[in-house]
Amino acid sequence: MEIDYKRLRSDLKDYYGTAMFQGFPVAMFEISVIEKADGEELICIATKLGFDLQRYYR
């Protein structure tokens, strides 16, 4: 199965965007990391945050 990286990247940016507006400006740095990350890095970030990667299978 293949992962929908575009959707995963979007959801990770939403996650950190929400944190940023909740008073955590460091989340802006994480958004820039996500924008530059390749597929493997996105999976690592999502796993650390507890994302269910099965939701992103095509």
Side-chain angles (χ1 to χ4, degrees), residues 27-53:
M28 187 65 172
F29 170 76
E30 295 298 330
I31 290 173
S32 68
V33 169
I34 290 166
E35 288 176 344
K36 297 174 188 173
D38 64 15
E40 187 175 323
E41 292 169 325
L42 289 174
I43 290 172
C44 288
I45 294 167
T47 301
K48 287 178 185 176
L49 294 174
F51 277 52
D52 179 8
L53 294 178

Side-chain angles (χ1 to χ4, degrees), residues 7 9 23 40:
R7 189 169 143 231
R9 186 182 314 275
E40 187 175 323

